Amino acid sequence: MTLVPVTYKGGIYQHDIVTDLIEDLGGYVVQKHVLAQEVVLQCFVPRDDIELIREISRPLFGEVTDSPLVGTEIAVVSMSLEIHHLPHPSCDIAEYVRRIGAKSNMVSLARGPGKRIAGLNDEERDVINEHDTAVYLMGNFETCIEHKMPILLRGIEVPVVVCGGPDKETLIRIVDPPVEGYVGGVGRFMRRTKEADQLDKLDEIIAEITRVLEKKREDIAKDPLSVSPARLMNLIRERVPAILEVTSPTPLTVQLAGLRVKLPYDTFAPELRAMEIEDGITLGDVAAIEPSRMRDYILVKVLPFSETNTVI
Amino acid sequence: MLAVEYFEVECPEPVGAEYYKQITNDVLLDHNLLKVIEKLHIYIDPKVPVFIAVGILKPITNVVRVGDIANVNPLEGKMTLVITEETYLASMLKIFWERFGKDRVEQPDRFTVVLYNVPVAAKEIEEIVIGHPSESLNRDLIYAFRCVAPEGFRLRSERFEKGKFSFVASENTLVENIDELVKAKFALMGETP
């Protein structure tokens, strides 16, 4: 059974029919937003059953659309938190990515701006590495991008998409070491992205991120995970009631190959490790439970089949 | 940039120059400064690195008076001011408090100020000067150019005098012959610093 990421949008009336259906079909609801009279579900559903969901939700005026970024966590790396980079373009891009279903975090560097003075410290590096992919928002000058990229990419292990002012060909030529994705013509600007050509650029960024993540998904599929992160999310929600008290918008953030649990590591890590998934197999058997560099959260890294010899 | 007589961005990278022209336009428009600039020349060299902005300001001599932002309606023993523009409201109230005392000045709502038993005529009230727009202009311009200049360029040298200004910023220590460069940029606009 192949699960595909989709977004369901519909009225709040009787939306539990859809939620129950998704769960009965073996799918998972990753995020649920209730906005006034509307409900938005970001979920994984079996590919063959999408038509069935469409049919059943038709009387409720529900709409099912593909959302390739559901279940991913993306770092939008901004060079600083100054007026030069915020709210445009950093927030515009972070927000646009969020609309397509991803969970985006903005990572702002302490010494990001400049050419000679730019740097990346170990905390920033580790936080970026905790994500599925990183989108680097660079400036307008190729001299600066060429000079600082090797420093900003030092120690980064996740796929990177670089956005910058020069065109795509120039970016491919100057960025060293090479990265997975490039989007040209999106450097520093100080106006809201609302015109058609600017929105096209945002779509181009989404397309590039999607391409990079699809490749990562394919790599994971070659050596499948011992347990699906979306399934783990539901299990943790059932077995660890403390997660229901967390006020963060996404207390459990699903990633491609793991899960961020927004509970203190020291208190809850032993409980999570001992949590039984099925037939006596505990979470500690199939995943590495590590402290996150982001606050004192817990990072659950699901191990692949080749390491655990189990798939549940 | 219709209001500016001369506006150029000079940069060895043509794509970068184009972006910075747009950024300068957006920032100056946001800060409402386009109407005070007559000529502006920006030079950026990311290789050095250096950012230079030189320009000429339009003369601003006018002051803002109470009559410009409010209608004064005298009525037996009290005077009602209906405010049309809030920008200088705070400084106006401050002047009224100092001159007439807080017990004689009342602001029942956002757009109304009432003066009780003040010993001056309505005409005189209208003539009270409450703001000098040119005073804050230099500060606003420096802030705007800090937004325009690349963020890493933190070493700055600004000069604002006699309607002319120069703003130089760099990541490294500013070189000693920077004045000559500024002079050359002024010459491009047909001016002298």
Side-chain angles (χ1 to χ4, degrees):
Chain A
M1 183 172 73
T2 327
L3 294 177
V4 287
V6 295
T7 296
Y8 169 85
K9 255 186 214 166
I12 196 159
Y13 174 68
Q14 287 191 344
H15 79 275
D16 49 334
I17 294 178
V18 181
T19 322
D20 289 346
L21 176 69
I22 292 169
E23 278 164 12
D24 292 346
L25 292 169
Y28 305 101
V29 176
V30 175
Q31 270 188 66
K32 177 178 166 183
H33 303 281
V34 179
L35 310 150
Q37 297 301 304
E38 198 184 57
V39 66
V40 179
L41 304 174
Q42 285 167 349
C43 39
F44 286 103
V45 297
R47 191 189 296 275
D48 304 333
D49 296 322
I50 293 181
E51 269 316 306
L52 179 68
I53 299 171
R54 282 211 174 102
E55 209 163 293
I56 291 183
S57 63
R58 195 162 295 138
L60 306 171
F61 300 104
E63 196 185 308
V64 181
T65 47
D66 282 342
S67 285
L69 299 186
V70 167
T72 61
E73 196 178 27
I74 295 170
V76 176
V77 183
S78 167
M79 292 302 119
S80 83
L81 282 180
E82 265 277 0
I83 184 85
H84 296 72
H85 306 272
L86 294 174
H88 325 295
S90 309
C91 296
D92 292 15
I93 292 170
E95 171 58 23
Y96 208 74
V97 169
R98 217 167 280 154
R99 280 188 205 177
I100 319 288
K103 167 79 179 73
S104 66
N105 294 320
M106 212 180 292
V107 180
S108 178
L109 309 182
R111 281 171 180 73
K115 190 173 87 169
R116 176 181 55 82
I117 55 172
L120 182 80
N121 67 28
D122 67 321
E123 189 183 1
E124 291 158 354
R125 181 198 63 206
D126 291 349
V127 166
I128 294 172
N129 278 338
E130 283 179 13
H131 292 78
D132 288 318
T133 183
V135 182
Y136 273 66
L137 307 178
M138 309 304 291
N140 291 328
F141 294 122
E142 54 178 272
T143 318
C144 296
I145 299 176
E146 188 176 8
H147 194 275
K148 68 202 268 188
M149 268 331 270
I151 301 160
L152 298 185
L153 289 172
R154 203 174 285 159
I156 301 295
E157 287 154 6
V158 293
V160 170
V161 176
V162 170
C163 302
D167 56 35
K168 193 172 176 177
E169 287 68 36
T170 315
L171 284 177
I172 293 172
R173 179 168 52 80
I174 60 174
V175 173
D176 178 54
V179 294
E180 282 71 12
Y182 303 88
V183 184
V186 192
R188 174 162 92 91
F189 52 83
M190 301 200 71
R191 51 163 55 186
R192 217 182 106 205
T193 43
K194 55 181 177 183
E195 306 290 338
D197 58 328
Q198 296 158 348
L199 293 177
D200 286 349
K201 275 285 163 207
L202 292 182
D203 287 333
E204 203 180 317
I205 298 174
I206 298 291
E208 200 71 354
I209 297 173
T210 311
R211 188 180 63 78
V212 167
L213 287 176
E214 280 302 325
K215 195 172 168 294
K216 195 170 173 179
R217 273 203 180 106
E218 279 168 25
D219 290 345
I220 293 172
K222 284 177 194 156
D223 187 5
L225 297 174
S226 305
V227 58
S228 149
R231 181 181 178 193
L232 271 186
M233 187 187 84
N234 276 0
L235 275 174
I236 295 174
R237 208 184 277 148
E238 278 171 25
R239 310 268 172 85
V240 188
I243 200 75
L244 304 174
E245 308 291 321
V246 178
T247 50
S248 159
T250 52
L252 294 156
T253 308
V254 178
Q255 300 181 343
L256 283 181
L259 198 65
R260 188 189 299 285
V261 184
K262 295 180 181 172
L263 286 171
Y265 178 82
D266 291 336
T267 324
F268 289 94
E271 192 180 332
L272 278 181
R273 249 182 229 117
M275 189 183 88
E276 189 187 320
I277 302 174
E278 208 177 287
D279 301 333
I281 299 170
T282 60
L283 182 57
D285 296 334
V286 291
I289 316 256
E290 293 172 3
S292 164
R293 287 297 299 255
M294 201 186 282
R295 306 205 182 163
D296 57 349
Y297 296 156
I298 304 170
L299 200 63
V300 178
K301 289 183 180 166
V302 180
L303 300 172
F305 173 73
S306 60
E307 281 185 45
T308 58
N309 231 3
T310 11
V311 172
I312 42 174
Chain B
M1 284 295 244
L2 288 175
V4 182
E5 190 186 302
Y6 172 100
F7 175 46
E8 281 301 325
V9 176
E10 186 188 350
C11 175
E13 289 180 24
V15 182
E18 205 49 52
Y19 283 120
Y20 269 82
K21 196 162 190 174
Q22 189 65 53
I23 291 175
T24 312
N25 191 20
D26 291 340
V27 171
L28 295 179
L29 201 66
D30 279 355
H31 291 86
N32 221 359
L33 288 169
L34 275 183
K35 60 184 181 200
V36 298
I37 294 176
E38 193 173 306
K39 291 182 178 181
L40 177 64
H41 187 95
I42 290 179
Y43 170 76
I44 317 168
D45 192 343
K47 282 204 169 73
V48 176
V50 68
F51 173 93
I52 299 175
V54 293
I56 312 285
L57 297 176
K58 285 177 189 162
I60 302 172
T61 47
N62 59 332
V63 289
V64 178
R65 297 172 195 278
V66 173
D68 296 334
I69 64 147
N71 294 320
V72 184
N73 307 314
L75 204 77
E76 278 175 42
K78 71 173 187 177
M79 220 173 272
T80 311
L81 279 74
V82 181
I83 314 294
T84 50
E85 223 255 310
E86 282 181 290
T87 316
Y88 297 98
L89 182 61
S91 64
M92 184 182 81
L93 280 173
K94 216 170 170 184
I95 290 168
F96 284 166
W97 289 339
E98 273 170 21
R99 197 154 159 188
F100 308 124
K102 279 196 174 178
D103 53 334
R104 290 187 178 185
V105 183
E106 196 182 272
Q107 190 188 13
D109 68 60
R110 197 170 145 191
F111 294 107
T112 317
V113 173
V114 186
L115 305 175
Y116 293 100
N117 301 319
V118 287
V120 283
K123 194 80 191 151
E124 216 172 309
I125 296 275
E126 280 179 359
E127 290 300 313
I128 296 174
V129 175
I130 51 168
H132 301 267
S134 57
E135 268 179 11
S136 62
L137 181 67
N138 291 357
R139 209 177 48 229
D140 293 349
L141 267 174
I142 292 175
Y143 180 75
F145 282 115
R146 275 181 58 193
C147 291
V148 174
E151 200 198 334
F153 292 17
R154 284 174 179 165
L155 295 168
R156 303 195 315 270
S157 148
E158 306 112 1
R159 199 172 295 160
F160 285 78
E161 51 193 7
K162 293 177 199 154
K164 293 176 182 178
F165 67 88
S166 67
F167 176 99
V168 184
S170 177
E171 195 177 272
N172 303 331
T173 315
L174 293 171
V175 285
E176 280 172 11
N177 64 351
I178 205 76
D179 285 343
E180 284 170 30
L181 209 54
V182 169
K183 210 172 170 180
K185 299 306 159 197
F186 264 111
L188 287 173
M189 299 190 294
E191 301 279 346
T192 49

PDB file of all heavy atoms in Angstrom, chain A residues 269-280:
ATOM      1  N   ALA A 269      12.143  11.094  27.253  1.00  0.00           N
ATOM      2  CA  ALA A 269      12.878  10.174  26.376  1.00  0.00           C
ATOM      3  C   ALA A 269      12.775   8.717  26.846  1.00  0.00           C
ATOM      4  O   ALA A 269      12.484   7.830  26.023  1.00  0.00           O
ATOM      5  CB  ALA A 269      14.328  10.615  26.244  1.00  0.00           C
ATOM      6  N   PRO A 270      12.951   8.411  28.169  1.00  0.00           N
ATOM      7  CA  PRO A 270      12.840   7.006  28.583  1.00  0.00           C
ATOM      8  C   PRO A 270      11.449   6.433  28.299  1.00  0.00           C
ATOM      9  O   PRO A 270      11.321   5.290  27.836  1.00  0.00           O
ATOM     10  CB  PRO A 270      13.099   7.068  30.094  1.00  0.00           C
ATOM     11  CG  PRO A 270      13.814   8.351  30.317  1.00  0.00           C
ATOM     12  CD  PRO A 270      13.325   9.292  29.279  1.00  0.00           C
ATOM     13  N   GLU A 271      10.407   7.262  28.527  1.00  0.00           N
ATOM     14  CA  GLU A 271       9.035   6.814  28.290  1.00  0.00           C
ATOM     15  C   GLU A 271       8.811   6.475  26.816  1.00  0.00           C
ATOM     16  O   GLU A 271       8.181   5.474  26.475  1.00  0.00           O
ATOM     17  CB  GLU A 271       8.073   7.917  28.731  1.00  0.00           C
ATOM     18  CG  GLU A 271       6.634   7.478  28.800  1.00  0.00           C
ATOM     19  CD  GLU A 271       5.704   8.611  29.242  1.00  0.00           C
ATOM     20  OE1 GLU A 271       6.162   9.527  29.974  1.00  0.00           O
ATOM     21  OE2 GLU A 271       4.551   8.580  28.829  1.00  0.00           O
ATOM     22  N   LEU A 272       9.366   7.338  25.936  1.00  0.00           N
ATOM     23  CA  LEU A 272       9.213   7.102  24.499  1.00  0.00           C
ATOM     24  C   LEU A 272       9.961   5.843  24.068  1.00  0.00           C
ATOM     25  O   LEU A 272       9.455   5.050  23.286  1.00  0.00           O
ATOM     26  CB  LEU A 272       9.748   8.301  23.709  1.00  0.00           C
ATOM     27  CG  LEU A 272       8.829   9.504  23.549  1.00  0.00           C
ATOM     28  CD1 LEU A 272       9.515  10.569  22.711  1.00  0.00           C
ATOM     29  CD2 LEU A 272       7.518   9.111  22.881  1.00  0.00           C
ATOM     30  N   ARG A 273      11.185   5.696  24.614  1.00  0.00           N
ATOM     31  CA  ARG A 273      11.992   4.537  24.234  1.00  0.00           C
ATOM     32  C   ARG A 273      11.269   3.232  24.585  1.00  0.00           C
ATOM     33  O   ARG A 273      11.311   2.262  23.841  1.00  0.00           O
ATOM     34  CB  ARG A 273      13.326   4.597  24.973  1.00  0.00           C
ATOM     35  CG  ARG A 273      14.455   4.868  24.034  1.00  0.00           C
ATOM     36  CD  ARG A 273      15.802   4.883  24.700  1.00  0.00           C
ATOM     37  NE  ARG A 273      16.497   6.079  24.269  1.00  0.00           N
ATOM     38  CZ  ARG A 273      16.872   7.062  25.039  1.00  0.00           C
ATOM     39  NH1 ARG A 273      16.654   7.001  26.336  1.00  0.00           N
ATOM     40  NH2 ARG A 273      17.497   8.100  24.554  1.00  0.00           N
ATOM     41  N   ALA A 274      10.576   3.253  25.738  1.00  0.00           N
ATOM     42  CA  ALA A 274       9.931   2.028  26.223  1.00  0.00           C
ATOM     43  C   ALA A 274       8.543   1.806  25.617  1.00  0.00           C
ATOM     44  O   ALA A 274       7.923   0.777  25.838  1.00  0.00           O
ATOM     45  CB  ALA A 274       9.828   2.093  27.739  1.00  0.00           C
ATOM     46  N   MET A 275       8.062   2.792  24.852  1.00  0.00           N
ATOM     47  CA  MET A 275       6.705   2.693  24.307  1.00  0.00           C
ATOM     48  C   MET A 275       6.593   1.523  23.318  1.00  0.00           C
ATOM     49  O   MET A 275       7.356   1.444  22.354  1.00  0.00           O
ATOM     50  CB  MET A 275       6.373   4.009  23.593  1.00  0.00           C
ATOM     51  CG  MET A 275       4.941   4.132  23.171  1.00  0.00           C
ATOM     52  SD  MET A 275       4.696   5.669  22.269  1.00  0.00           S
ATOM     53  CE  MET A 275       5.093   5.142  20.632  1.00  0.00           C
ATOM     54  N   GLU A 276       5.614   0.641  23.585  1.00  0.00           N
ATOM     55  CA  GLU A 276       5.474  -0.527  22.705  1.00  0.00           C
ATOM     56  C   GLU A 276       4.682  -0.154  21.458  1.00  0.00           C
ATOM     57  O   GLU A 276       3.657   0.510  21.531  1.00  0.00           O
ATOM     58  CB  GLU A 276       4.760  -1.651  23.457  1.00  0.00           C
ATOM     59  CG  GLU A 276       4.794  -2.942  22.675  1.00  0.00           C
ATOM     60  CD  GLU A 276       3.944  -4.026  23.304  1.00  0.00           C
ATOM     61  OE1 GLU A 276       3.965  -4.130  24.542  1.00  0.00           O
ATOM     62  OE2 GLU A 276       3.288  -4.752  22.551  1.00  0.00           O
ATOM     63  N   ILE A 277       5.194  -0.587  20.301  1.00  0.00           N
ATOM     64  CA  ILE A 277       4.474  -0.287  19.060  1.00  0.00           C
ATOM     65  C   ILE A 277       3.555  -1.464  18.702  1.00  0.00           C
ATOM     66  O   ILE A 277       2.362  -1.287  18.501  1.00  0.00           O
ATOM     67  CB  ILE A 277       5.457  -0.015  17.892  1.00  0.00           C
ATOM     68  CG1 ILE A 277       6.370   1.156  18.264  1.00  0.00           C
ATOM     69  CG2 ILE A 277       4.695   0.309  16.611  1.00  0.00           C
ATOM     70  CD1 ILE A 277       7.462   1.413  17.271  1.00  0.00           C
ATOM     71  N   GLU A 278       4.130  -2.665  18.667  1.00  0.00           N
ATOM     72  CA  GLU A 278       3.362  -3.852  18.267  1.00  0.00           C
ATOM     73  C   GLU A 278       4.161  -5.092  18.656  1.00  0.00           C
ATOM     74  O   GLU A 278       5.398  -5.091  18.521  1.00  0.00           O
ATOM     75  CB  GLU A 278       3.181  -3.807  16.744  1.00  0.00           C
ATOM     76  CG  GLU A 278       1.942  -4.498  16.240  1.00  0.00           C
ATOM     77  CD  GLU A 278       1.815  -4.330  14.731  1.00  0.00           C
ATOM     78  OE1 GLU A 278       1.482  -3.211  14.294  1.00  0.00           O
ATOM     79  OE2 GLU A 278       2.079  -5.293  14.014  1.00  0.00           O
ATOM     80  N   ASP A 279       3.503  -6.122  19.106  1.00  0.00           N
ATOM     81  CA  ASP A 279       4.138  -7.420  19.404  1.00  0.00           C
ATOM     82  C   ASP A 279       5.437  -7.301  20.210  1.00  0.00           C
ATOM     83  O   ASP A 279       6.446  -7.937  19.887  1.00  0.00           O
ATOM     84  CB  ASP A 279       4.462  -8.182  18.102  1.00  0.00           C
ATOM     85  CG  ASP A 279       3.207  -8.436  17.296  1.00  0.00           C
ATOM     86  OD1 ASP A 279       2.135  -8.501  17.913  1.00  0.00           O
ATOM     87  OD2 ASP A 279       3.294  -8.541  16.069  1.00  0.00           O
ATOM     88  N   GLY A 280       5.437  -6.466  21.206  1.00  0.00           N
ATOM     89  CA  GLY A 280       6.608  -6.364  22.078  1.00  0.00           C
ATOM     90  C   GLY A 280       7.758  -5.533  21.503  1.00  0.00           C
ATOM     91  O   GLY A 280       8.782  -5.356  22.156  1.00  0.00           O
TER      92      GLY A 280
END
